[in-house]
Amino acid sequence: MGTIMVRTNSEGDKTVVRMLIRHPMDTGLVKNKATGKIIPAHFIKTVTCDINGKTVLTADWSIAIAKNPYLSFNIKGVKPQDTLKISWVDNKGESDTLQNTIQNFGPKD
């Protein structure tokens, strides 16, 4: 199972993308209670979102982002079944990518 969970909701020409990334987002400023040693920094540096291969969002993060970060944004002009690709890279070189199609859940009647 990947670290990225995504939901999309389209209404008209607007699509809301909501994602949750499982990541420790350690700041490097906290001590391990058992050992007393500093827990090394381990945080996501870059998140990117592509629609059909075109980058529509790039976020540069630092230690100021909470554990298991949540990100939500709106995109206009996206069609159902367009390809959505979300990737992240952290300061240790670890990464994850999720690719799926835009799901149109639209408003309920």
Side-chain angles (χ1 to χ4, degrees):
M1 185 170 156
T3 61
I4 305 169
M5 293 178 279
V6 176
R7 286 192 178 220
T8 58
N9 187 355
S10 298
E11 186 173 333
D13 69 338
K14 179 179 136 185
T15 298
V16 179
V17 178
R18 295 178 183 94
M19 72 177 87
L20 183 69
I21 302 172
R22 284 185 291 120
H23 194 279
M25 299 299 286
D26 291 319
T27 64
L29 304 173
V30 176
K31 289 183 180 179
N32 181 320
K33 291 180 181 177
T35 65
K37 293 183 179 179
I38 297 287
I39 299 171
H42 186 199
F43 58 91
I44 295 173
K45 292 177 65 177
T46 305
V47 178
T48 57
C49 176
D50 298 341
I51 302 290
N52 296 328
K54 180 181 175 186
T55 300
V56 294
L57 176 118
T58 301
D60 294 322
W61 289 354
S62 67
I63 61 173
I65 305 294
K67 179 179 179 178
N68 299 327
Y70 170 80
L71 178 64
S72 176
F73 56 96
N74 299 327
I75 306 173
K76 285 188 174 181
V78 176
K79 301 176 198 116
Q81 305 306 316
D82 280 353
T83 301
L84 170 70
K85 179 180 171 186
I86 297 172
S87 304
W88 62 259
V89 177
D90 70 18
N91 66 318
K92 292 185 176 182
E94 297 171 4
S95 63
D96 195 9
T97 299
L98 174 72
Q99 183 168 317
N100 208 337
T101 56
I102 296 287
Q103 301 294 314
N104 186 2
F105 298 106
K108 294 183 178 179
D109 294 330

